[in-house]
Amino acid sequence: MFEITKILNHNAILVIKDQREYLILDKGIGFGKKVKDQIKNASFEAVYQLQSETKRGNKEIIEKIDPIFLEVAHQILKHASEKLGNLDHNILLPLSDHIAFAIERIKNGLIISNPFTNEIRMLNPDEYKIASIAKSIIQNRLGYEINEDEIGYITLHLHSAATHEKVDESMKIAMIVQESIKTIEEKLNTSINIHSLAYSRLLTHMKYMLARIKTNEKLNLDMDEYVRTHFPLAYEAAEAIIIQIGKELHRTIPRIEIGYLGLHIQRICDITKE
């Protein structure tokens, strides 16, 4: 049995069971109820166990947020679960909090930009598609239209729910990729077409390269000497990028990664010359 501790609105209540707190979302669940009422376990629309792992504590968010944002975030996560599989539902409150803050900014005419939107979209295409659908959900339920930069931020929350990678870490990866692209353009004195296949392949390579660095996975085939000899400019750019990534992530990165990255950079260079 659940015991009601707070009624948020007709569709959302807080309950306790076995000294654990939960948020229950279900149509009409709070109608006619009062605190300390007992509710039998049932097939509710959604039951979220409350954690205390967010930057702002769960209690603070629950106390201050309009329950409509909880419902909207749940609707987005429900759709995301259908496309991405099992998600970490602890993301509900941070996502609700972000959406509420985004709408407040829109109301006040304060639109905050996201300088890494393109990198976020390219690195997380599945999550970005769902975040684009979230844009429609937000507009239908709340009456406000978020921009592409906000879609990028929601993408990070969905990626966090799917991979357990913190939002800040995902943002840092996007920043590293953007800085790496700038390094390539400077070293090779070229401008990279972000809509090209070569650019897409480069980002995909960097995505998996960064994953290898994180897990200390090693490459088997060493292309370092070949690339350094045949494509010195691409190698120089790759080396600069690897050194910078090592500093950003506070890790020692195997030199074997330079050669592989250099090959992808050389492809960018070859296509630019065509």
Side-chain angles (χ1 to χ4, degrees), residues 6 56 59-66:
K6 186 170 185 176
R56 291 173 59 193
K59 285 292 186 181
E60 183 182 353
I61 294 176
I62 290 290
E63 290 292 334
K64 293 185 177 181
I65 199 169
D66 187 324

Side-chain angles (χ1 to χ4, degrees), residues 73 75 103 106 112 141 150 174 186 273:
Q75 191 175 346
I103 298 304
I106 293 173
I112 296 178
R141 294 294 304 276
E150 284 293 352
E186 291 171 1
K273 292 178 180 177

Side-chain angles (χ1 to χ4, degrees), residues 41-192:
N41 293 1
S43 298
F44 302 115
E45 170 71 17
V47 179
Y48 293 93
Q49 183 176 344
L50 298 184
Q51 306 289 337
S52 58
E53 299 174 355
T54 56
K55 287 184 178 180
R56 291 173 59 193
N58 285 333
K59 285 292 186 181
E60 183 182 353
I61 294 176
I62 290 290
E63 290 292 334
K64 293 185 177 181
I65 199 169
D66 187 324
I68 187 64
F69 295 112
L70 300 173
E71 296 178 36
V72 169
H74 165 65
Q75 191 175 346
I76 293 170
L77 287 177
K78 181 179 179 181
H79 181 77
S81 296
E82 294 171 356
K83 301 296 182 181
L84 301 175
N86 291 331
L87 300 177
D88 178 8
H89 284 130
N90 287 328
I91 203 69
L92 176 79
L93 291 181
L95 179 58
S96 303
D97 196 32
H98 176 83
I99 294 171
F101 188 41
I103 298 304
E104 188 65 25
R105 289 198 302 265
I106 293 173
K107 288 180 179 178
N108 294 326
L110 302 173
I111 309 301
I112 296 178
S113 64
N114 182 347
F116 310 112
T117 298
N118 184 65
E119 287 74 24
I120 291 169
R121 176 177 60 84
M122 296 292 289
L123 290 169
N124 312 285
D126 293 335
E127 292 92 335
Y128 190 88
K129 288 178 183 177
I130 296 169
S132 297
I133 295 173
K135 176 181 179 179
S136 299
I137 294 173
I138 291 169
Q139 188 166 12
N140 290 337
R141 294 294 304 276
L142 303 174
Y144 291 92
E145 183 177 5
I146 61 173
N147 61 18
E148 292 297 305
D149 290 339
E150 284 293 352
I151 291 176
Y153 286 123
I154 291 176
T155 297
L156 293 180
H157 282 282
L158 295 176
H159 179 72
S160 175
T163 65
H164 298 277
E165 183 175 86
K166 293 181 180 178
V167 171
D168 290 349
E169 292 176 358
S170 299
M171 179 65 85
K172 189 169 188 176
I173 294 302
M175 180 194 71
I176 287 172
V177 169
Q178 187 183 88
E179 290 177 347
S180 299
I181 297 301
K182 289 179 180 178
T183 298
I184 294 170
E185 291 181 325
E186 291 171 1
K187 293 286 186 182
L188 275 62
N189 192 27
T190 187
S191 179
I192 298 175

Side-chain angles (χ1 to χ4, degrees), residues 196-199 201 266-274:
S196 67
L197 179 60
Y199 174 79
R201 286 175 174 171
Q266 185 60 38
R267 286 200 188 104
I268 291 281
C269 187
D270 291 341
I271 290 175
T272 303
K273 292 178 180 177
E274 292 177 358

